[in-house]
Amino acid sequence: MIEILPSILEPTIERVHEKIQMLEGLVTTAHIDVMDGVFVPSKTDFLPGDLVHLDTSLALELHLMVAEPEKVAANWGRDSHVSRVLVHAEAVHDIDTIADKIHAMNKQVGVVVNIGTSLSALGEVIPHSQAVQFMGIHRVGFGGEHFEESILPVIRELRRASRVLISVDGGINAKTAQMCVKVGATRLVVGSYLFNASSKKEMRTRIDTLERLDQEKEQ
Ligand code: DX5
Ligand code: ZN
């Protein structure tokens, strides 16, 4: 089954909380976007310590779009809700140190690659991580962007070379999700396609449909 991680890209912890509440009972993990205004132009206004205020049963995957993950990744990983911390390959200089600290907290590390970043940049970081996340969009740090099909052959290339878990973030809808699953992604991060659903029932239907995509592929 494909794992669906609803993506929450909101400036304040209050808004993050509102969206998380909508997801209770629908998924087990939510993906929270964190931006520093440096690595990407957009910026979130909450701090690691604010996560404690989230009243939720969901686990959190934190997508750190920050310039110096070595300085902040462990702080973000500390909150008990957090199960996984994602850092960008383009920003990381010392994955060992980040991975050691996050793994010492019994949490997972994932590496994110932007469009255009060569897979060869992953050689050193994959052994330290449990997942690779491909960005499906050019304008990282923003929701509702157009999916770039040019990443599909790159995903396929990594799938053939490695058994690492592959996720895709950005521009995912029913059509692009199918394309990603076909080339080997098993985890999809989905923002506007889920939150634009007209009701919780419709959101559940969309999640169910995406989760079943691999089964459809095998038929
Ligand atoms: C963008 C974020 C994504 C974003 C996805 O850089 O990392 O997680 O929220 O939103 P959609 O699904 O609308 O592209
Ligand atoms: Zn994200």
Side-chain angles (χ1 to χ4, degrees):
M1 195 158 94
I2 302 300
E3 185 182 0
I4 305 304
L5 296 116
S7 170
I8 300 181
L9 190 158
E10 291 292 343
T12 64
I13 202 69
E14 291 78 14
R15 298 265 290 269
V16 171
H17 191 245
E18 279 169 27
K19 277 196 166 170
I20 278 200
Q21 302 262 288
M22 296 163 72
L23 300 171
E24 291 289 337
L26 293 182
V27 290
T28 54
T29 307
H31 170 108
I32 311 285
D33 290 311
V34 175
M35 291 91 73
D36 67 353
V38 178
F39 182 72
V40 290
S42 47
K43 191 173 185 311
T44 36
D45 289 332
F46 50 91
L47 299 168
D50 293 328
L51 298 178
V52 74
H53 301 303
L54 296 175
D55 178 18
T56 179
S57 63
L58 267 58
L60 304 181
E61 169 181 275
L62 299 184
H63 177 189
L64 302 185
M65 287 165 269
V66 301
E68 295 184 278
E70 287 80 6
K71 289 190 180 163
V72 298
N75 273 344
W76 281 107
R78 206 154 282 135
D79 185 81
S80 62
H81 295 100
V82 178
S83 61
R84 187 179 306 123
V85 177
L86 308 178
V87 293
H88 270 260
E90 303 82 13
V92 164
H93 298 292
D94 181 7
I95 189 72
D96 297 27
T97 304
I98 293 176
D100 284 353
K101 288 181 183 167
I102 303 292
H103 290 156
M105 295 186 261
N106 278 326
K107 301 179 182 194
Q108 296 184 357
V109 174
V111 177
V112 188
V113 277
N114 284 341
I115 294 174
T117 297
S118 161
L119 284 188
S120 60
L122 291 179
E124 280 179 34
V125 294
I126 281 187
H128 299 278
S129 59
Q130 283 74 54
V132 170
Q133 173 180 294
F134 285 92
M135 295 309 298
I137 54 175
H138 278 295
R139 214 162 68 108
V140 174
F142 299 88
E145 297 286 309
H146 173 76
F147 182 79
E148 272 300 327
E149 293 184 28
S150 62
I151 62 154
L152 295 170
V154 190
I155 297 174
R156 186 186 285 116
E157 186 185 340
L158 181 65
R159 172 76 302 139
R160 287 180 177 161
S162 162
R163 293 316 304 160
V164 70
L165 206 148
I166 296 177
S167 56
V168 186
D169 180 16
I172 298 295
N173 56 36
K175 187 172 163 227
T176 57
Q178 178 68 80
M179 295 175 184
C180 293
V181 168
K182 207 171 161 198
V183 292
T186 54
R187 202 182 260 166
L188 302 172
V189 179
V190 195
S192 26
Y193 179 64
L194 291 184
F195 287 103
N196 288 346
S198 53
S199 63
K200 187 158 179 175
K201 187 164 173 268
E202 172 62 15
M203 195 187 266
R204 184 188 291 273
T205 303
R206 290 185 182 191
I207 291 170
D208 287 349
T209 307
L210 296 178
E211 281 177 344
R212 283 199 301 266
L213 277 176
D214 56 340
Q215 293 163 351
E216 287 174 13
K217 191 191 74 171
E218 283 162 11
Q219 282 167 11

